């Protein structure tokens, strides 16, 4: 996204409160193998020789992506293998949607697929939702396995046959927020 001629706003750690505006002069065509990062040359005015070689600087550039669908970064639960957002389906029902993400801009992530315009997503309490959904998946798998293997070995057990009282799992269940959760 970075191209020669783009404006670049620069701040330097050694010069707090000062900002410089320059432009991208050249984008080097190679990647640094260790960091997978690229270098660019920024041309800046240097009145009075204030900027010195070796100073640490932060460079901010803005690229126009056009109109694109985004969600707050806090709405996305990244597991390492996939990115998930919990979508409000109405009536207090939440459903996890796997997302394909694009670029990050500030506190927002571009959504390439998996969600659509107008969908409401949960932006907090993800730990609780993720834990509950993982627990639901594990319990459902355990129930299915127990259903196929019969109850051998459990006939002599006293008490309820339900291994986790209060856990009523059906294949169609979805994650629902509890009274402490929220959107």
């Amino acid at each position: 996204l970075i191209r020669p001629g783009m404006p670049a706003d620069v701040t330097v750690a050694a010069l707090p409160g000062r900002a410089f505006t320059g432009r991208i002069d050249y984008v080097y065509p190679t990647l640094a193998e260790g960091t997978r990062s690229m270098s660019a040359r920024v041309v800046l005015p240097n009145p009075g020789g204030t900027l010195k070689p070796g100073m640490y600087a932060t460079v901010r550039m803005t690229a126009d992506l056009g109109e694109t669908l985004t969600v707050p970064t806090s709405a996305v639960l990244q597991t390492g293998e996939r990115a998930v957002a919990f979508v409000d389906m109405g009536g207090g029902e939440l459903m996890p949607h796997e997302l394909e993400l694009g670029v990050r801009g500030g506190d927002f992530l571009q959504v390439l697929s998996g969600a659509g315009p107008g969908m409401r997503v949960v932006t907090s309490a993800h730990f609780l939702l993720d834990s509950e959904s993982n627990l639901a998946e594990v319990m459902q798998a355990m129930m299915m396995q127990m259903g196929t293997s019969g109850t051998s070995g459990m006939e002599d057990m006293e008490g309820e046959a339900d291994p986790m009282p209060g856990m009523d799992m059906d294949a169609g269940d979805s994650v629902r927020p509890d009274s402490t959760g929220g959107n």
Side-chain angles (χ1 to χ4, degrees):
L1 298 174
I2 307 302
R3 304 211 186 306
M6 290 177 71
D9 296 319
V10 180
T11 55
V12 179
L15 304 169
R18 299 221 20 213
F20 301 87
T21 301
R23 65 176 177 77
I24 304 295
D25 183 55
Y26 182 73
V27 178
Y28 292 86
T30 58
L31 284 173
E33 287 185 36
T35 61
R36 298 287 184 244
S37 61
M38 294 182 73
S39 295
R41 183 171 54 227
V42 177
V43 176
L44 293 170
N46 190 12
T50 307
L51 298 172
K52 307 287 185 210
M55 288 180 149
Y56 284 101
T58 300
V59 180
R60 297 195 189 281
M61 296 159 281
T62 303
D64 185 4
L65 299 176
E67 193 168 317
T68 186
L69 181 65
T70 62
V71 294
T73 55
S74 63
V76 179
L77 182 66
Q78 300 208 21
T79 66
E81 295 177 13
R82 59 187 186 147
V84 176
F86 287 91
V87 176
D88 181 2
M89 303 306 287
E93 183 177 343
L94 301 175
M95 182 175 289
H97 283 236
E98 189 167 343
L99 304 178
E100 181 183 347
L101 300 173
V103 297
R104 179 182 181 152
D107 293 331
F108 291 88
L109 291 164
Q110 180 184 29
V111 177
L112 302 175
S113 68
M119 289 183 163
R120 291 174 32 107
V121 295
V122 175
T123 59
S124 63
H126 272 142
F127 175 76
L128 294 173
L129 289 168
D130 183 45
S131 297
E132 186 174 336
S133 67
N134 287 338
L135 177 61
E137 288 175 18
V138 168
M139 291 305 300
Q140 185 173 350
M142 285 175 56
M143 295 296 206
M144 292 173 86
Q145 184 177 8
M146 286 179 63
T148 59
S149 65
T151 58
S152 63
M154 296 183 72
E155 295 87 15
D156 298 329
M157 293 180 74
E158 292 182 28
E160 297 183 29
D162 186 358
M164 300 264 322
M167 293 293 288
D168 181 22
M169 301 300 299
D170 291 323
D173 280 354
S174 61
V175 178
R176 295 179 188 270
D178 63 16
S179 61
T180 61
N183 296 22

